[in-house]
Amino acid sequence: MIRTLFDISTALIQAPMAGVQDAVLAASVCEAGGLGSLPCAMLSKIQLIEQLELLSRSTSKPYNLNFFCHSTLQYTKLQKQQWHLTLAPYFNEYAIAESSLADEASRQPINQSIIDIIAPYKPAVVSFHFGLPAPFLLEQIKSWGASVISTATTIEEAKWLVDNGADAVIAQGLEAGGHRGHFLSMDLSLHKSTAELVQECVAQLVVPVIAAGGIATEDDVAHMQALGAAGVQVGSAYLLCNEANTSAIHRNAILSQQKDNTALTTLFSGRAARGICNRGMKELGSMPLHVPPFPYASIAITALRSRAEALGDSGFSPLWCGQKYIPREHMSAAQITQTLMQKWLV
């Protein structure tokens, strides 16, 4: 069970959510007995140290640091030209000059310099999206006693993770908000619901399985436990909690969204992620033809997003949110954690 593996009292992991949280939310979940998570993939080295210091001061309980480990593909001149041509009408609308765009994307895979930063803190858990890092990096993480977990979207990915050193597997169903964790295949047709994937993983894996996606109520949690999950990972339920940094634009989109108004889209980063449908997704399509590889799509989109958001417009913002969502305003992360886990059978 993950409670024993991670030394936590509640079998819940707070999903790392870049852009809407920092160490404050992670620490609050830790103090409530769950495993709080800090999203690290978009932090600079200085920001990472600042957040680690804050997290370490805020809780003495185990916490999780989350990183990406994607392969960085080449962003060709032709790809950039095609992408900018696709976005040209919006650049004109918001008076954005191509020359003003950043040269690099903010999402970077874990590397040795990051390991050197986090090693002195000896985090109890380190999690990954898009597979696992190189074995020599994984060995260093495990050398200080950390548990390693990663996301699988298919049973094939789950087995690969176990074979390559994962101590537990996060079974991410199609309902999950934010980025899909797929890494063996980009074919989204292979992905299944959370319940289906959890059952497959429980039947075929020898490590704990953590259910993720569409878990919004205590009954959802109980259902995942009944299917054999050793724990749950929940993100969207915390989007409006007191400790979240979710922007006013994102909050308004969450509260005003219509039922079944999320979709998988590659528009904002180049990889599939679930968010609330907005102008960009509707006009360009949720899977634009000339979207460049991850994470390069975000360079131009971020410029467009910033200009639109300054006008109070969320039309080009990545409004990540799970398919099943129940708004919980004015609640603490601790209260949400306790609410979700009240039907978990000890």
Side-chain angles (χ1 to χ4, degrees), residues 88-315:
Y90 304 108
F91 288 167
N92 292 333
E93 179 181 345
Y94 289 96
I96 296 172
E98 289 187 37
S99 60
S100 69
L101 300 180
D103 294 324
E104 295 183 356
S106 58
R107 298 174 176 89
Q108 299 296 327
I110 192 169
N111 54 41
Q112 184 62 55
S113 65
I114 297 299
I115 296 292
D116 294 340
I117 290 173
I118 67 174
Y121 297 89
K122 294 181 170 58
V125 183
V126 179
S127 67
F128 296 99
H129 225 45
F130 315 132
L132 289 169
F136 79 96
L137 295 177
L138 207 60
E139 289 172 6
Q140 293 177 69
I141 292 169
K142 291 200 170 191
S143 71
W144 66 68
S147 295
V148 171
I149 58 177
S150 188
T151 303
T153 60
T154 64
I155 187 60
E156 289 76 20
E157 289 179 343
K159 290 178 178 178
W160 186 96
L161 292 175
V162 175
D163 290 343
N164 286 274
D167 297 301
V169 170
I170 302 164
Q172 185 190 42
L174 272 169
E175 302 95 323
H179 278 93
R180 309 293 299 147
H182 57 300
F183 58 94
L184 291 184
S185 171
M186 297 297 107
D187 185 356
L188 295 176
S189 70
L190 299 175
H191 297 191
K192 299 181 178 181
S193 70
T194 304
E196 291 174 310
L197 183 58
V198 165
Q199 290 178 89
E200 280 191 333
C201 290
V202 168
Q204 300 184 49
L205 303 185
V206 295
V207 302
V209 176
I210 300 156
I215 301 171
T217 69
E218 58 268 36
D219 288 329
D220 295 331
V221 171
H223 180 51
M224 292 303 146
Q225 185 180 29
L227 294 179
V232 295
Q233 178 172 280
V234 180
S236 295
Y238 292 100
L239 282 171
L240 300 184
C241 74
N242 297 339
E243 295 87 350
N245 295 331
T246 309
S247 69
I249 279 179
H250 197 164
R251 286 175 178 267
N252 290 337
I254 291 169
L255 293 171
S256 62
Q257 69 173 311
Q258 301 298 312
K259 185 178 180 181
D260 298 326
N261 194 38
T262 66
L264 293 178
T265 180
T266 56
L267 172 63
F268 301 105
S269 71
R271 287 188 73 122
R274 183 174 294 282
I276 299 169
C277 295
N278 58 7
R279 178 188 174 189
M281 293 166 66
K282 293 173 182 175
E283 294 182 1
L284 292 168
S286 59
M287 305 282 178
L289 179 61
H290 293 300
V291 65
F294 181 89
Y296 301 112
S298 63
I299 297 174
I301 285 292
T302 296
L304 189 54
R305 167 193 180 178
S306 297
R307 198 64 63 88
E309 286 186 349
L311 300 174
D313 181 3
S314 65

